Amino acid sequence: MSRNDKLDPLETLESLDTEPEPSEYDQELGREVGEAAMRVANGELSEEEFHEQYHERFKAEFGDDYVAPGGIDDE
């Protein structure tokens, strides 16, 4: 297979559905968490700040399935 025969990633991306699959979970929260995780990876946000920022939203979203990381207590 020559280099010209490979799929163009941009064409592949454009051919995908633009709407996310239906989910029982909040997809906006997922996008926000993904962006915040990138900020953690880039050193712009600490892990502690990340968990403090999303703790209550995770509890609301996942209920009893959510287990907080050590050091974060329920008030």
Side-chain angles (χ1 to χ4, degrees):
M1 177 183 278
S2 73
R3 187 171 227 187
N4 292 333
D5 293 336
K6 292 183 180 178
L7 294 175
D8 179 354
L10 293 177
E11 287 179 16
T12 302
L13 182 62
E14 290 171 359
S15 72
L16 297 174
D17 291 331
T18 58
E19 293 296 316
E21 292 291 321
S23 173
E24 65 183 291
Y25 298 110
D26 182 349
Q27 295 182 8
E28 182 62 32
L29 175 60
R31 284 188 282 280
E32 288 178 32
V33 168
E35 289 175 11
M38 287 190 292
R39 291 178 54 217
V40 170
N42 291 333
E44 300 167 12
L45 183 70
S46 74
E47 287 185 43
E48 182 178 322
E49 291 169 322
F50 172 88
H51 289 293
E52 287 174 1
Q53 182 176 353
Y54 289 102
H55 178 69
E56 292 300 322
R57 290 181 69 188
F58 286 163
K59 283 184 3 183
E61 182 71 17
F62 301 109
D64 292 337
D65 290 335
Y66 173 65
V67 177
I72 296 180
D73 297 320
D74 288 330
E75 296 176 2

